Amino acid sequence: MQVKNPVQGAMTALVTPFKNNKLDLESYERLIERQFRYGIDAIVPVGTTGESATLSHSEHRECIEVAVSVCKEQRKKGSCVKVLAGAGSNSTQEAIELARFAQDCGADAILCVTPYYNKPTQEGLFQHYKAVANAVEIPLMLYNVPSRTGVSLEVETILRLFNEVSNIYGVKEACGSIERVVSLNTHAKDLVLVSGEDAINYPILSCGGVGVISVTSNLLPDKIAQLTHSLLESKEHDTSRLLNNELYAINKALFIESNPIPIKAAMYLSGLLHTLEYRLPLLAPSKESLASLQQILNQYEVMK
């Protein structure tokens, strides 16, 4: 069954700002408002980029609540912005609890990463996602990022989930394979395919993708929104391709150390974050990385 009005388009995998090792919710709200101001269609709180693995459950819920609250205020002004809430865990029961909270809070859909560390079989992945999706009524987007989780959600499993579970509507692909995108688009034309790797946003969009979940858009939401919308809405392939090329240097630089270390540093250097804080075991980037980031940032205009 095709989900009506699915969450797609230009989306941002939000960073989570800290101040004195606590959530900086005032800055978080400001950052979300900035995303919508520069054309982003949906925000994705508490995903990998949001350091969800080191947040407490109460902090995770707070981030979703703030994101939904800001989104509701924007809708009152006539905006169509949405929230795709991170609700993944390597424990199925924990993922279910987070998904139910996101639904009760008012999120439009949930993004559920493959369980990490315990490396389930494909049947285990199928049963995990089926259980989470069946626990809620809102749409669920699968998230495949084997480099971070140690397990890949295979094409056959994605298609099985899409065909058998009514509210599983799409997948965020972050495995770097264009062939997978083509295969999925060939076998399930209504499956919502979303890029999870900024360096190949344009190739994925041009091969059937209908959105991006971007790290770079924390820094340059205007550019990512234009790249996405110029192709999806106006079919301006040249504009989208040139923007993808323009962003290549920063897209690569934002992964010189583990995400979200570089993106938070780049935002700090650009004045978007007032403090540069992470949760252990993540640390601030090296002096060399900071110098490299600053040099590349000089090539771009970061809108405040």
Side-chain angles (χ1 to χ4, degrees):
M1 182 180 72
Q2 188 175 5
V3 170
K4 186 178 180 180
N5 298 322
V7 180
Q8 57 188 47
M11 299 175 275
T12 298
L14 291 168
V15 302
T16 301
F18 300 119
K19 187 175 183 180
N20 299 321
N21 202 37
K22 296 181 179 180
L23 294 179
D24 183 356
L25 296 178
E26 182 178 345
S27 293
Y28 196 54
E29 185 172 335
R30 172 177 51 80
L31 291 174
I32 294 171
E33 290 172 344
R34 175 176 176 268
Q35 291 296 311
F36 294 146
R37 188 162 65 249
Y38 288 108
I40 291 297
D41 301 305
I43 50 171
V44 186
V46 282
T48 304
T49 306
E51 297 176 76
S52 57
T54 54
L55 297 182
S56 69
H57 282 200
S58 62
E59 288 174 327
H60 194 120
R61 291 182 174 94
E62 280 187 279
C63 288
I64 293 175
E65 285 178 325
V66 170
V68 170
S69 175
V70 175
C71 186
K72 286 179 178 177
E73 288 302 313
Q74 293 296 313
R75 286 174 179 170
K76 290 178 182 178
K77 302 174 184 178
S79 177
C80 297
V81 294
K82 296 181 179 180
V83 176
L84 177 65
S89 173
N90 62 342
S91 162
T92 302
Q93 187 55 44
E94 286 184 5
I96 287 173
E97 291 171 3
L98 290 171
R100 284 174 172 164
F101 177 83
Q103 175 175 266
D104 293 343
C105 192
D108 298 281
I110 57 174
L111 178 69
C112 194
V113 70
T114 49
Y116 37 87
Y117 184 76
N118 45 25
K119 298 182 74 172
T121 63
Q122 292 301 303
E123 182 62 26
L125 290 170
F126 176 83
Q127 295 298 338
H128 169 83
Y129 278 117
K130 181 179 179 181
V132 177
N134 285 343
V136 295
E137 296 179 1
I138 59 175
L140 182 149
M141 178 179 286
L142 309 169
Y143 179 14
N144 186 45
V145 57
S147 65
R148 299 296 293 249
T149 64
V151 65
S152 179
L153 190 61
E154 300 299 337
V155 168
E156 293 76 12
T157 308
I158 293 171
L159 294 174
R160 184 182 171 199
L161 285 163
F162 178 65
N163 290 324
E164 296 185 27
V165 186
S166 62
N167 57 330
I168 290 180
Y169 78 102
V171 57
K172 174 187 176 182
E173 269 296 343
C175 70
S177 172
I178 300 298
E179 183 180 354
R180 277 178 62 97
V181 173
V182 174
S183 177
L184 287 165
N185 191 50
T186 300
H187 290 96
K189 64 180 180 64
D190 292 328
L191 178 70
V192 170
L193 293 166
V194 170
S195 170
E197 293 199 33
D198 279 306
I200 55 175
N201 281 341
Y202 169 73
I204 288 179
L205 291 173
S206 65
C207 289
V210 292
V212 306
I213 295 179
S214 172
V215 173
T216 301
S217 57
N218 280 284
L219 189 69
L220 299 164
D222 52 323
K223 294 289 187 181
I224 294 296
Q226 186 183 1
L227 184 159
T228 306
H229 297 153
S230 61
L231 197 154
L232 295 181
E233 297 175 5
S234 306
K235 307 303 179 186
E236 296 176 2
H237 280 260
D238 286 346
T239 299
S240 183
R241 177 178 54 82
L242 290 172
L243 281 165
N244 200 82
N245 292 346
E246 177 187 335
L247 294 171
Y248 182 75
I250 190 65
N251 287 338
K252 297 295 287 185
L254 293 179
F255 288 87
I256 55 175
E257 294 187 20
S258 295
N259 182 46
I261 293 173
I263 181 60
K264 291 185 86 170
M267 294 172 74
Y268 177 73
L269 291 170
S270 301
L272 297 174
L273 286 177
H274 301 315
T275 59
L276 184 56
E277 291 189 35
Y278 307 85
R279 287 277 174 84
L280 284 171
L282 296 185
L283 296 171
S286 67
K287 291 181 180 179
E288 293 77 12
S289 292
L290 277 174
S292 178
L293 278 170
Q294 183 62 75
Q295 183 179 19
I296 292 170
L297 279 171
N298 292 337
Q299 303 173 29
Y300 298 92
E301 180 182 6
V302 178
M303 308 295 287
K304 297 298 194 291

